[in-house]
């Protein structure tokens, strides 16, 4: 009999409960239920005193292991700086993350306090404004965060060139002309971004699309899900919100205006960073396409096949920026 090797396993919930009870000093016993399976496995954790937490079990992606050491250090810094975030909970021995063994190899686990509030509304200008405000607070606090050695840098190699290679290597895009279009769009986008002489560098959230937040009773956006973050372009961090409002057929550009107003209420945006953010929309889409393409052997072609159909969106957005940009 042949033994199959695991590419991505899903732990039993009771093993997650035992793992948390063993390593964290929560009140009494805990109960868990899975919230999400995908790029990471995410569980809602409820302690016997009613305390609510979120446990995230990272999955090793094609880019490599999760940089939980830097992520949890940054989140702790943000929390101590008064930025509304879901902060990591220390283990019994004071560490902020753990590693467990799964059939496919080691996976990193982090326990967070559950963010209070309601889900952000994609069409609510007030929620968009609140997301912009909190991202500005993140970038302000990043100025006093001692970035040392990190696993990832959110540069064009990480965000654009490697994702393009994953798309190419996956075989999802079978049409040679479409693949050539993608390569040409990526090359033009990189060249356009490199013409900006002084783009701001910061520690990025990395995934601020509007849904990695909850709106608390004070109307503030409480951020979570920083695992795609790292030192990188501020313009990219801004662009993710814009991308979320105009990609996949959405027509919510007015939410981008509200988001920018919320950001500027706290922190100014340099002209080059604002202009470059529109170019980084294409970079963001390539990043997502590359993430999905790298999972073709895990999720199957049916789940990631949309990647082969995205050249038209990228061409359209590119022409709008070059010829008749509306922003």
């Amino acid at each position: 009999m042949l033994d199959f090797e695991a590419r991505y396993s899903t732990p039993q919930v009771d093993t997650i409960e035992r793992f948390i009870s063993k390593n964290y000093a929560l009140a009494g016993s805990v109960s868990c239920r899975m919230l999400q399976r995908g790029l990471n496995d995410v569980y809602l954790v409820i302690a016997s005193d009613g305390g609510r937490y979120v446990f995230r079990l990272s999955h090793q992606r094609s880019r490599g292991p999760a940089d939980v050491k830097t992520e949890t250090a940054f989140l702790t810094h943000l929390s101590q700086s008064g930025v509304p975030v879901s902060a990591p909970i220390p283990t019994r021995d004071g560490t902020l993350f753990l590693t467990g063994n799964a059939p496919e190899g080691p996976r990193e686990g982090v326990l967070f306090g559950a963010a209070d509030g309601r889900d952000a509304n994609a069409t609510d200008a007030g929620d968009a404004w609140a997301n912009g405000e909190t991202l500005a607070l993140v970038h302000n606090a990043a100025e006093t965060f001692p970035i040392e050695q990190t696993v990832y840098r959110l540069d064009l190699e990480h965000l654009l060139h490697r994702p393009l290679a994953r798309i190419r290597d996956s075989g999802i895009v079978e049409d040679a002309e479409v693949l050539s279009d993608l390569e040409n769009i990526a090359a033009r986008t990189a060249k356009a971004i490199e013409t900006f002489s002084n783009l701001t560098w910061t520690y990025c959230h990395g995934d601020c699309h509007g849904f990695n937040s909850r709106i608390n009773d004070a109307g503030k956006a409480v951020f979570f899900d920083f695992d795609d973050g790292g030192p990188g372009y501020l313009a990219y961090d801004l662009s993710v919100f814009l991308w979320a409002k105009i990609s996949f057929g959405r027509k919510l550009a007015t939410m981008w205006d509200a988001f920018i107003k919320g950001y500027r209420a706290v922190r100014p945006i340099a002209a080059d960073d604002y202009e470059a953010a529109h170019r980084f929309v294409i970079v963001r889409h390539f990043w997502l396409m590359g993430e999905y393409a790298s999972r073709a052997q895990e999720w199957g072609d049916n789940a990631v096949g949309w990647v082969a159909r995205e050249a038209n969106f990228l061409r359209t957005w590119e022409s709008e920026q070059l010829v008749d940009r509306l922003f």
Side-chain angles (χ1 to χ4, degrees), residues 121-295:
N121 186 329
T123 61
D124 187 301
D127 289 0
W129 196 100
N131 271 269
E133 177 188 43
T134 296
L135 186 63
L137 293 173
V138 168
H139 292 162
N140 277 348
E143 294 179 357
T144 56
F145 179 65
I147 301 175
E148 298 174 354
Q149 185 174 358
T150 61
V151 177
Y152 306 106
R153 289 168 58 86
L154 276 58
D155 53 18
L156 290 180
E157 185 66 25
H158 178 85
L159 296 169
L160 179 63
H161 300 310
R162 289 177 192 150
L164 176 60
R166 292 177 189 126
I167 295 166
R168 185 188 306 114
D169 295 345
S170 71
I172 293 171
V173 183
E174 297 178 347
D175 188 316
E177 185 175 345
V178 172
L179 186 58
S180 178
D181 276 353
L182 292 175
E183 292 171 342
N184 290 334
I185 292 168
R188 289 193 297 268
T189 300
K191 183 177 180 180
I193 289 171
E194 288 164 357
T195 63
F196 292 100
S197 60
N198 194 30
L199 293 179
T200 304
W201 196 258
T202 187
Y203 195 100
C204 297
H205 178 284
D207 205 21
C208 182
H209 47 55
F211 297 108
N212 283 328
S213 67
R214 292 181 68 82
I215 307 301
N216 66 19
D217 290 342
K220 304 296 183 181
V222 183
F223 277 12
F224 54 87
D225 200 11
F226 280 71
D227 71 313
D228 289 321
Y233 292 104
L234 184 146
Y236 173 72
D237 228 15
L238 294 174
S239 77
V240 174
F241 195 88
L242 174 57
W243 164 84
K245 302 308 171 189
I246 54 83
S247 58
F248 301 107
R250 303 183 188 102
K251 299 184 184 300
L252 297 172
T254 55
M255 296 300 104
W256 163 249
D257 297 335
F259 173 82
I260 289 298
K261 288 178 182 177
Y263 189 100
R264 284 176 168 157
V266 173
R267 176 187 175 95
I269 303 173
D272 277 1
D273 291 328
Y274 181 77
E275 289 301 316
H278 298 81
R279 299 285 185 175
F280 272 105
V281 166
I282 293 176
V283 174
R284 168 64 179 193
H285 209 65
F286 269 103
W287 176 86
L288 185 71
M289 291 161 64
E291 284 288 308
Y292 272 73
S294 70
R295 298 301 184 91

